[in-house]
Coordinates of all heavy atoms in Angstrom, one line a residue:
F1 N -4.7 -3.6 18.3 CA -3.2 -3.4 17.8 C -2.4 -2.6 19.0 O -2.9 -1.8 19.7 CB -3.1 -2.6 16.6 CG -3.6 -3.3 15.4 CD1 -5.0 -2.9 15.0 CD2 -3.0 -4.2 14.6 CE1 -5.5 -3.6 14.0 CE2 -3.6 -4.9 13.6 CZ -4.9 -4.6 13.2
D2 N -1.1 -3.1 19.0 CA -0.2 -2.4 20.1 C 0.4 -1.1 19.5 O 0.8 -0.2 20.2 CB 0.9 -3.3 20.5 CG 0.3 -4.7 21.1 OD1 -0.3 -4.5 22.2 OD2 0.6 -5.8 20.5
L3 N 0.3 -1.1 18.2 CA 1.0 0.1 17.4 C 0.3 0.3 16.1 O 0.2 -0.7 15.4 CB 2.5 -0.2 17.2 CG 3.2 0.8 16.2 CD1 3.2 2.3 16.9 CD2 4.6 0.4 15.9
I4 N -0.1 1.5 15.8 CA -0.6 1.9 14.5 C 0.4 2.9 14.0 O 0.8 3.9 14.8 CB -2.1 2.5 14.6 CG1 -2.9 1.5 15.0 CG2 -2.5 3.1 13.3 CD1 -4.4 1.9 15.3
F5 N 0.8 2.8 12.8 CA 1.8 3.6 12.2 C 1.5 4.1 10.9 O 0.9 3.4 10.0 CB 3.1 2.7 12.2 CG 4.4 3.4 11.6 CD1 5.0 4.4 12.2 CD2 4.8 3.0 10.3 CE1 6.2 5.0 11.7 CE2 5.9 3.7 9.7 CZ 6.6 4.7 10.4
S6 N 1.8 5.3 10.6 CA 1.7 5.9 9.2 C 2.9 6.8 8.9 O 3.1 7.8 9.7 CB 0.3 6.6 9.1 OG 0.2 7.1 7.7
N7 N 3.5 6.5 7.9 CA 4.9 7.3 7.6 C 4.6 8.2 6.5 O 3.8 8.1 5.5 CB 5.9 6.3 7.3 CG 7.3 6.8 7.7 OD1 7.5 7.9 8.0 ND2 8.3 6.0 7.4
F8 N 5.5 9.2 6.4 CA 5.7 10.1 5.3 C 4.5 10.7 4.6 O 4.4 10.5 3.3 CB 6.8 9.3 4.2 CG 8.1 9.2 4.7 CD1 8.7 8.0 4.7 CD2 8.8 10.2 5.2 CE1 10.1 7.8 5.1 CE2 10.0 10.1 5.8 CZ 10.6 8.8 5.7
G9 N 3.6 11.3 5.3 CA 2.7 12.0 4.8 C 1.4 11.4 4.3 O 0.7 12.0 3.5
G10 N 1.2 10.1 4.5 CA 0.2 9.5 4.0 C -1.2 10.1 4.5 O -2.2 10.2 3.8
L11 N -1.2 10.5 5.9 CA -2.4 11.2 6.4 C -2.6 12.7 5.9 O -3.6 13.2 6.1 CB -2.2 11.2 8.0 CG -2.3 9.9 8.6 CD1 -2.2 10.1 10.1 CD2 -3.4 9.0 8.2
N12 N -1.6 13.1 5.1 CA -1.8 14.5 4.5 C -2.8 14.4 3.3 O -3.2 15.5 2.9 CB -0.5 15.1 4.0 CG 0.3 15.5 5.1 OD1 1.3 14.9 5.6 ND2 0.1 16.8 5.6
C13 N -3.2 13.2 2.9 CA -4.2 13.0 1.9 C -5.6 13.1 2.5 O -6.7 12.9 1.8 CB -4.0 11.7 1.2 SG -2.5 11.5 0.3
L14 N -5.8 13.4 3.8 CA -7.1 13.4 4.5 C -7.4 14.9 4.8 O -6.5 15.5 5.3 CB -7.0 12.6 5.8 CG -6.8 11.1 5.7 CD1 -6.8 10.5 7.0 CD2 -7.5 10.5 4.6
A15 N -8.7 15.2 4.5 CA -9.2 16.6 4.9 C -9.4 16.5 6.4 O -9.2 15.4 7.0 CB -10.5 16.8 4.3
K16 N -9.5 17.6 7.0 CA -9.6 17.7 8.5 C -10.7 16.8 9.2 O -10.4 16.0 10.0 CB -9.7 19.1 9.0 CG -9.5 19.2 10.5 CD -9.6 20.8 10.9 CE -9.3 20.9 12.4 NZ -9.3 22.2 12.9
T17 N -11.8 16.8 8.5 CA -12.9 15.9 9.0 C -12.5 14.5 8.9 O -12.9 13.8 9.8 CB -14.2 16.3 8.3 OG1 -13.9 16.1 6.9 CG2 -14.7 17.6 8.6
Q18 N -11.8 14.2 7.8 CA -11.4 12.7 7.7 C -10.4 12.3 8.5 O -10.5 11.2 9.1 CB -10.9 12.5 6.2 CG -12.0 12.6 5.0 CD -11.4 12.7 3.8 OE1 -10.4 13.2 3.5 NE2 -12.1 12.1 2.8
L19 N -9.6 13.3 8.8 CA -8.4 13.0 9.8 C -8.9 12.8 11.2 O -8.5 11.9 12.0 CB -7.4 14.1 9.7 CG -6.2 14.0 10.7 CD1 -5.4 12.8 10.4 CD2 -5.3 15.3 10.5
E20 N -9.9 13.7 11.6 CA -10.6 13.5 12.9 C -11.2 12.2 13.1 O -11.1 11.7 14.1 CB -11.5 14.7 13.0 CG -12.1 14.9 14.4 CD -12.9 16.1 14.6 OE1 -13.3 16.7 13.6 OE2 -13.3 16.5 15.7
Q21 N -12.0 11.8 12.1 CA -12.6 10.4 12.1 C -11.6 9.3 12.2 O -11.8 8.4 13.0 CB -13.4 10.3 10.9 CG -14.2 9.0 10.9 CD -15.1 8.7 12.1 OE1 -15.9 9.6 12.5 NE2 -15.0 7.6 12.8
F22 N -10.6 9.4 11.5 CA -9.5 8.4 11.5 C -8.9 8.3 12.9 O -8.7 7.2 13.4 CB -8.3 8.7 10.5 CG -7.0 7.9 10.9 CD1 -6.9 6.7 10.7 CD2 -5.9 8.7 11.4 CE1 -5.7 6.0 11.2 CE2 -4.9 8.2 11.9 CZ -4.7 6.7 11.7
L23 N -8.6 9.5 13.6 CA -8.0 9.5 14.8 C -8.9 8.9 16.0 O -8.5 8.1 16.8 CB -7.5 10.9 15.2 CG -6.4 11.6 14.4 CD1 -6.3 13.0 14.6 CD2 -5.0 10.8 14.7
K24 N -10.3 9.1 15.7 CA -11.2 8.4 16.6 C -11.2 6.9 16.5 O -11.2 6.1 17.4 CB -12.5 9.0 16.4 CG -12.8 10.5 16.9 CD -14.2 11.0 16.5 CE -14.3 12.4 17.0 NZ -15.7 12.9 16.6
T25 N -11.2 6.5 15.2 CA -11.2 5.1 14.9 C -9.9 4.3 15.3 O -9.8 3.3 15.9 CB -11.3 4.8 13.4 OG1 -12.5 5.5 12.9 CG2 -11.4 3.4 13.1
A26 N -8.8 5.1 15.2 CA -7.5 4.6 15.6 C -7.5 4.3 17.1 O -6.9 3.3 17.6 CB -6.3 5.5 15.3
N27 N -8.0 5.2 17.9 CA -8.1 5.1 19.3 C -8.9 3.6 19.6 O -8.5 3.0 20.5 CB -8.7 6.3 19.9 CG -8.7 6.2 21.5 OD1 -9.6 5.5 22.1 ND2 -7.8 6.9 22.0
Q28 N -10.0 3.5 18.9 CA -10.7 2.2 19.2 C -10.0 1.0 18.7 O -10.3 0.0 19.3 CB -12.1 2.4 18.4 CG -12.9 3.6 18.9 CD -14.1 3.8 18.0 OE1 -14.1 3.4 16.8 NE2 -15.2 4.5 18.5
L29 N -9.2 1.1 17.8 CA -8.4 -0.1 17.3 C -7.3 -0.4 18.1 O -6.7 -1.5 18.0 CB -7.9 0.2 15.8 CG -9.1 0.2 14.7 CD1 -8.5 0.7 13.3 CD2 -9.6 -1.2 14.6
L30 N -6.8 0.5 19.0 CA -5.7 0.1 19.7 C -6.0 -0.6 21.1 O -7.0 -0.4 21.7 CB -5.0 1.6 20.2 CG -4.1 2.2 19.1 CD1 -3.8 3.6 19.6 CD2 -2.9 1.5 18.7
A31 N -5.0 -1.4 21.4 CA -5.2 -2.1 22.7 C -4.9 -1.0 23.7 O -4.4 0.0 23.5 CB -4.2 -3.2 22.8
P32 N -5.2 -1.4 25.1 CA -4.9 -0.5 26.2 C -3.4 -0.1 26.1 O -2.5 -0.9 26.0 CB -5.3 -1.3 27.5 CG -6.3 -2.2 27.0 CD -6.0 -2.7 25.5
N33 N -3.2 1.1 26.2 CA -1.8 1.8 26.2 C -1.2 1.5 25.0 O 0.1 1.7 24.8 CB -0.9 1.1 27.3 CG -1.4 1.4 28.8 OD1 -1.8 2.6 29.0 ND2 -1.6 0.4 29.6
G34 N -1.9 1.2 23.9 CA -1.3 1.3 22.5 C -0.8 2.5 22.0 O -1.2 3.5 22.6
K35 N 0.1 2.5 21.0 CA 0.7 3.6 20.5 C 0.4 3.9 19.1 O 0.1 3.0 18.3 CB 2.3 3.5 20.7 CG 2.6 3.5 22.1 CD 4.1 3.6 22.3 CE 4.7 3.4 23.6 NZ 4.1 4.4 24.6
L36 N 0.2 5.3 18.9 CA -0.1 5.8 17.5 C 1.2 6.7 17.2 O 1.4 7.5 17.7 CB -1.3 6.5 17.6 CG -1.9 7.3 16.2 CD1 -2.1 6.2 15.2 CD2 -3.0 8.1 16.5
I37 N 1.8 6.2 15.9 CA 2.9 7.1 15.5 C 2.7 7.6 14.1 O 2.4 6.8 13.2 CB 4.2 6.2 15.7 CG1 4.6 5.8 17.1 CG2 5.4 7.0 15.0 CD1 5.9 5.0 17.1
L38 N 2.7 8.8 13.9 CA 2.2 9.4 12.6 C 3.4 10.4 12.2 O 4.0 11.0 12.9 CB 1.0 10.2 12.8 CG -0.1 9.7 13.5 CD1 -1.2 10.7 13.6 CD2 -0.6 8.4 12.7
V39 N 3.7 10.4 10.8 CA 4.7 11.2 10.3 C 4.0 12.0 9.2 O 3.4 11.6 8.3 CB 5.8 10.4 9.7 CG1 6.9 11.4 9.0 CG2 6.6 9.5 10.7
I40 N 3.9 13.3 9.5 CA 3.1 14.2 8.7 C 3.9 15.4 8.2 O 4.7 15.9 8.9 CB 1.9 14.6 9.7 CG1 1.1 13.5 10.1 CG2 1.0 15.8 9.2 CD1 0.1 13.8 11.2
M41 N 3.4 15.9 7.1 CA 3.9 17.1 6.6 C 3.3 18.5 7.2 O 2.2 18.6 7.1 CB 3.8 17.3 5.1 CG 4.6 16.0 4.3 SD 4.5 16.2 2.5 CE 2.8 15.6 2.2
P42 N 4.2 19.4 7.8 CA 3.6 20.4 8.4 C 3.5 21.7 7.4 O 3.9 21.5 6.3 CB 4.6 20.8 9.6 CG 5.9 20.2 8.8 CD 5.6 19.2 8.1
K43 N 3.1 22.8 8.0 CA 2.7 23.9 7.2 C 3.9 24.9 6.9 O 3.9 25.8 5.9 CB 1.7 24.7 7.7 CG 0.3 24.1 7.7 CD -0.8 24.9 8.4 CE -2.2 24.2 8.2 NZ -3.2 25.0 8.9
K44 N 4.9 24.9 7.7 CA 6.1 25.9 7.7 C 7.4 25.4 7.3 O 8.4 25.9 7.8 CB 6.1 26.5 9.0 CG 4.8 27.3 9.3 CD 4.7 28.1 10.7 CE 3.5 28.8 11.0 NZ 3.7 29.7 12.2
C45 N 7.5 24.4 6.3 CA 8.7 23.9 6.0 C 9.7 24.9 5.5 O 9.6 25.6 4.6 CB 8.5 22.9 4.9 SG 10.1 22.1 4.1
L46 N 10.9 25.0 6.3 CA 11.9 25.9 6.0 C 12.5 25.8 4.7 O 12.7 26.7 4.0 CB 13.0 25.9 7.1 CG 12.6 26.5 8.5 CD1 13.8 26.2 9.4 CD2 12.3 28.0 8.4
W47 N 12.8 24.5 4.1 CA 13.4 24.3 2.9 C 12.4 24.9 1.8 O 13.0 25.4 0.8 CB 13.6 22.9 2.7 CG 14.9 22.5 3.1 CD1 15.4 21.6 4.1 CD2 16.2 22.9 2.6 NE1 16.8 21.5 4.2 CE2 17.3 22.3 3.3 CE3 16.7 23.9 1.6 CZ2 18.7 22.5 3.0 CZ3 17.9 24.1 1.3 CH2 19.0 23.4 2.1

């Protein structure tokens, strides 16, 4: 793939070990110079 995309906190359903494994797999699934775009919920939301 040229682009792997995950929006609005889907990856927040993964524990850290699962997330680490996904990121390794995503790298393998990408074509050379492929992009990974993730939208994730952080820990310090001001609202």
